[in-house]
Amino acid sequence: MSNAADREEIVRKFLGSKVFDFGAFGKFVAENGTSIASASDGEFGFVIGHRFIRYCIPPQVSVIQELDPAVMRGEVTGGR
Amino acid sequence: MQNPHDHKAALDRLLSHASAPHQAEFRQNLLQRLHLALRIAGRTVQFLGTDGFDGSDHPDGNFAAEKPLAETAMLLYTAGRHAADPALREVFDAAMDDLAPHARSQRMRWDVVRYPSVCLQLATPHILLGALGRGDARFDALLAESATSSVSGSHEVVPYRELELMWLEALWRNEAPRPGFAEVARKTALGRAIDLLNGTREDAYAHTHAAMYYTDFGNRQGNLPRPAHEFLDESAAVLARALVIEDYDLAAEALMAWPLLSTSWSPAAAFGFRVIASLEDKVGFLPAGRSASSQLLRLDGHDRTKCALATSYHTAYVMGMLCAVALKPGMASPYATTGPAYSMSLVGDLRARIPAGSAHWEQVFAALRPDEQAALAPFLLDVALMQSSRKGDAVQMARLLQMALTHGLADTTLCAQAAGLLTRMGALVAPDR
């Protein structure tokens, strides 16, 4: 992919080919379940089968709602 | 500095006059944000600069002191070009004073001598302090011993890390990067696109970091291995994904690409800046994401402060660095969402194809003026394509590509990669011949 024209051409070529069999793909998805899709919004990484390969920068932390935002703000910035 | 209410009022004024921001006003706004990051840097060095952090429930949440010290030095390095500004001078000098003894501590000297294969990384705070005019000849001599040892090059690194080492070495020696710098850059995301649909988080960081080191955090404008707009298209896709998953650390890093490459903010980038700036104003600092560590509820006193800083300082620093590079001469206000206006029916159609959620970008988008929304069709297309890809929704992906082609939006890496993925999916289900 060296320039914009090439990139658009790739799209145009795919759409123009009309070879994608949506029915067959839908059947494939139905037979293989949702494991092939990554519906989670919490991940950037990819999925191979059922396994997530995760790289955490910065680390994931558990979610809590009880913490007073002002407390957190005070701890981080030193102000209240 | 202004109090938080003044700060918010100033931001409101900026947002309400986004099409014609006052030059001095947006600069003052960015300086205030940089000031906040430098203040947090002082606390980070105070609480984490000696022992790092080892109290996390998550193994990846622990780190040695070298990490925040190196990142503090990078924040100071980017802020250095504005250090003489009266709004920053005091807090900048204080942060430098805080960092210096840790950067050249006995522990740091010992580590540099003991681990020659990573001595440049360990010496990052020393090198960057030196570049800011606070050198130390004795530490330099120790570093030279390690850097020329027989095993100094024995630690293998990926290309963008190699770029980082070459950048550090050039700063340390006060020379231009050695030959091969551009060749290494070609092997990074600067030379070839990461997989925007199914790449890893590490890939995304490789994309954002390569531009930082290659440009010396915006100080150097060397030739890129390929047209800047291609790289920035990919930065826009990383940004879109980061805003969707509310990873504000990655979002702020992705945004740095525009000022690092001295390029005008795209509408998507300006929108991204608004999202994180408004979040910073709401929370009091830019949070890494929506979550906070449950550990904080169990801790108090010194331990709680350490934990809060350990989970928050990095994103706050990235916001400060973003503001520092956005203050480069020639950069316009990042609050102005201006660009080609697409039809509102296209914008509405794209928006309708993105499942409604509670991410902060959605609230900010809804509050935009119609003319601002009209400029964000490329952003919405990126979000919609990535969302449909992650769901394995081939029909939606194909429809989006058709829309992109019809409206002249298909000349991006993301669209090409989506077409490529669909082609491979087609091969996957094609009948045997």
Side-chain angles (χ1 to χ4, degrees):
Chain A
M1 254 172 278
S2 59
N3 59 52
D6 288 345
R7 296 180 297 180
E8 186 170 313
E9 186 56 29
I10 290 169
V11 176
R12 197 179 296 280
K13 193 172 166 188
F14 164 74
L15 292 172
S17 69
K18 299 188 186 305
V19 296
F20 191 93
D21 186 339
F22 290 100
F25 186 75
K27 185 167 174 282
F28 176 83
V29 171
E31 288 173 353
N32 289 277
T34 54
S35 65
I36 63 160
S38 172
S40 168
D41 272 345
E43 304 289 344
F44 197 91
F46 57 84
V47 188
I48 298 176
H50 296 280
R51 294 182 297 123
F52 269 110
I53 296 179
R54 297 171 58 176
Y55 295 84
C56 301
I57 314 170
Q60 299 285 315
V61 289
S62 53
V63 178
I64 53 169
Q65 304 294 338
E66 300 89 341
L67 190 69
D68 180 353
V71 171
M72 188 70 173
R73 181 166 58 244
E75 296 290 6
V76 174
T77 68
R80 299 288 166 186
Chain B
M1 300 302 294
Q2 292 179 334
N3 69 40
H5 294 295
D6 291 342
H7 191 184
K8 185 178 181 311
L11 179 66
D12 288 344
R13 282 200 303 280
L14 277 168
L15 296 181
S16 64
H17 298 95
S19 59
H22 191 281
Q23 186 79 2
E25 194 171 5
F26 94 74
R27 291 187 64 81
Q28 197 57 36
N29 183 278
L30 297 185
L31 285 169
Q32 285 168 4
R33 297 181 191 283
L34 181 52
H35 186 279
L36 172 64
L38 290 170
R39 226 173 68 215
I40 293 171
R43 289 176 64 75
T44 301
V45 171
Q46 179 190 345
F47 284 91
L48 304 172
T50 302
D51 299 318
F53 185 63
D54 64 358
S56 175
D57 288 340
H58 196 291
D60 291 338
N62 295 321
F63 50 81
E66 286 84 354
K67 178 174 155 56
L69 293 176
E71 289 160 345
T72 301
M74 288 189 190
L75 170 65
L76 287 167
Y77 184 67
T78 58
R81 60 166 73 96
H82 315 295
D85 192 295
L88 290 184
R89 192 180 302 139
E90 191 177 333
V91 70
F92 180 85
D93 289 345
M96 291 278 282
D97 291 342
D98 290 339
L99 179 63
H102 292 280
R104 281 114 179 196
S105 66
Q106 286 301 92
R107 174 62 189 268
M108 196 66 97
R109 290 170 198 270
W110 164 240
D111 284 348
V112 163
V113 167
R114 185 177 184 186
Y115 304 112
S117 67
V118 291
C119 64
L120 280 175
Q121 294 99 318
L122 288 169
T124 297
H126 160 74
I127 292 170
L128 295 179
L129 282 173
L132 289 166
R134 291 209 193 179
D136 182 307
R138 280 193 64 205
F139 200 101
D140 272 339
L142 274 185
L143 181 57
E145 291 280 348
S146 275
T148 55
S149 82
S150 62
V151 290
S152 63
S154 63
H155 183 67
E156 293 187 20
V157 292
V158 295
Y160 85 92
R161 287 294 179 199
E162 194 176 350
L163 212 56
E164 178 188 14
L165 292 176
M166 295 171 95
W167 165 71
L168 279 172
E169 188 182 21
L171 279 180
W172 177 40
R173 300 189 188 284
N174 195 24
E175 296 171 349
R178 50 190 167 90
F181 193 61
E183 188 55 39
V184 172
R186 248 187 292 280
K187 298 177 191 169
T188 70
L190 290 166
R192 55 190 176 199
I194 63 167
D195 183 345
L196 297 167
L197 290 167
N198 293 298
T200 66
R201 183 179 295 269
E202 180 70 13
D203 293 336
Y205 276 94
H207 174 94
T208 59
H209 282 235
M212 296 176 198
Y213 307 135
Y214 189 67
T215 65
D216 183 23
F217 282 92
N219 292 324
R220 175 181 175 276
Q221 295 303 315
N223 289 332
L224 292 179
R226 58 189 171 125
H229 72 85
E230 284 188 23
F231 181 80
L232 291 171
D233 276 350
E234 294 149 21
S235 300
V238 172
L239 170 67
R241 180 72 189 140
L243 292 179
V244 167
I245 62 175
E246 301 207 84
D247 182 339
Y248 297 111
D249 195 89
L250 185 54
E253 286 203 3
L255 279 167
M256 286 174 67
W258 281 266
L260 288 177
L261 301 184
S262 299
T263 310
S264 303
W265 299 100
S266 70
F271 173 66
F273 192 92
R274 275 202 202 194
V275 173
I276 62 171
S278 64
L279 196 62
E280 181 180 56
D281 294 333
K282 184 176 169 185
V283 176
F285 60 95
L286 183 63
R290 205 170 257 275
S291 55
S293 172
S294 56
Q295 287 175 274
L296 285 167
L297 287 175
R298 303 197 302 268
L299 300 172
D300 55 22
H302 189 265
D303 288 342
R304 186 165 75 175
T305 304
K306 280 189 76 167
C307 184
L309 282 165
T311 54
S312 305
Y313 84 89
H314 188 273
T315 309
Y317 279 19
V318 177
M319 184 63 179
M321 292 161 80
L322 170 62
C323 291
V325 293
L327 280 161
K328 276 173 59 174
M331 289 301 295
S333 167
Y335 292 102
T337 308
T338 54
Y342 295 88
S343 73
M344 284 310 287
S345 66
L346 173 65
V347 169
D349 195 356
L350 288 169
R351 182 66 186 91
R353 290 170 193 270
I354 299 168
S358 57
H360 189 60
W361 78 263
E362 297 176 65
Q363 299 164 35
V364 177
F365 182 83
L368 293 179
R369 297 190 311 259
D371 64 299
E372 292 171 324
Q373 290 185 345
L376 289 171
F379 168 79
L380 295 174
L381 175 66
D382 282 358
V383 172
L385 263 179
M386 286 190 277
Q387 296 281 70
S388 57
S389 168
R390 294 184 68 77
K391 289 176 180 161
D393 189 343
V395 175
Q396 181 77 291
M397 288 176 74
R399 281 184 187 143
L400 287 164
L401 289 180
Q402 186 60 64
M403 288 169 68
L405 202 55
T406 303
H407 294 276
L409 293 170
D411 61 345
T412 67
T413 303
L414 182 62
C415 283
Q417 289 188 357
L421 176 59
L422 286 170
T423 302
R424 297 195 298 278
M425 286 174 166
L428 174 72
V429 298
D432 292 333
R433 291 180 183 171

XYZ file of all heavy atoms in Angstrom, chain B residues 116-119 146-155:
89
model
N 24.791 -3.405 31.406
C 25.213 -2.609 30.237
C 24.320 -2.796 29.016
O 24.222 -1.894 28.192
C 26.639 -3.132 29.968
C 26.701 -4.464 30.617
C 25.794 -4.381 31.813
N 23.646 -3.949 28.909
C 22.839 -4.179 27.704
C 21.584 -3.302 27.672
O 20.951 -3.185 26.631
C 22.449 -5.657 27.590
O 21.573 -6.015 28.632
N 21.215 -2.732 28.804
C 20.059 -1.818 28.831
C 20.452 -0.480 29.470
O 19.602 0.253 29.982
C 18.855 -2.432 29.594
C 18.256 -3.593 28.816
C 19.245 -2.876 30.994
N 21.749 -0.157 29.388
C 22.215 1.030 30.118
C 21.627 2.331 29.570
O 21.377 3.269 30.338
C 23.736 1.083 30.159
S 24.524 1.270 28.550
N 29.818 1.540 30.365
C 28.827 0.492 30.092
C 28.460 0.427 28.616
O 28.326 -0.653 28.040
C 27.556 0.731 30.921
O 27.707 0.171 32.200
N 28.281 1.593 28.012
C 27.821 1.644 26.613
C 28.850 1.070 25.652
O 28.507 0.693 24.525
C 27.479 3.080 26.226
N 30.109 1.002 26.056
C 31.152 0.458 25.179
C 31.607 -0.926 25.631
O 32.581 -1.457 25.099
C 32.370 1.409 25.149
O 32.815 1.641 26.492
C 32.011 2.723 24.491
N 30.906 -1.508 26.576
C 31.302 -2.841 27.043
C 30.980 -3.897 25.974
O 30.187 -3.646 25.065
C 30.592 -3.182 28.352
O 29.293 -3.644 28.077
N 31.561 -5.058 26.109
C 31.412 -6.093 25.078
C 29.973 -6.599 24.959
O 29.594 -7.142 23.922
C 32.345 -7.266 25.388
O 31.985 -7.846 26.632
N 29.161 -6.436 25.985
C 27.781 -6.957 25.934
C 26.744 -5.833 25.822
O 25.550 -6.077 25.964
C 27.462 -7.822 27.178
C 28.239 -9.121 27.136
C 27.741 -7.055 28.458
N 27.199 -4.632 25.542
C 26.247 -3.508 25.551
C 25.161 -3.644 24.481
O 24.060 -3.138 24.644
C 26.982 -2.178 25.375
O 27.624 -2.149 24.122
N 25.480 -4.347 23.392
C 24.470 -4.491 22.332
C 23.802 -5.843 22.326
O 23.202 -6.252 21.329
N 23.864 -6.535 23.461
C 23.421 -7.935 23.477
C 21.926 -8.117 23.718
O 21.419 -9.230 23.598
C 24.189 -8.708 24.549
O 23.900 -8.181 25.831
N 21.231 -7.054 24.054
C 19.795 -7.181 24.329
C 19.017 -6.863 23.049
O 19.013 -5.729 22.577
C 19.387 -6.227 25.453
C 17.956 -6.341 25.859
N 17.448 -7.468 26.472
C 16.929 -5.478 25.741
C 16.159 -7.288 26.712
N 15.815 -6.087 26.274
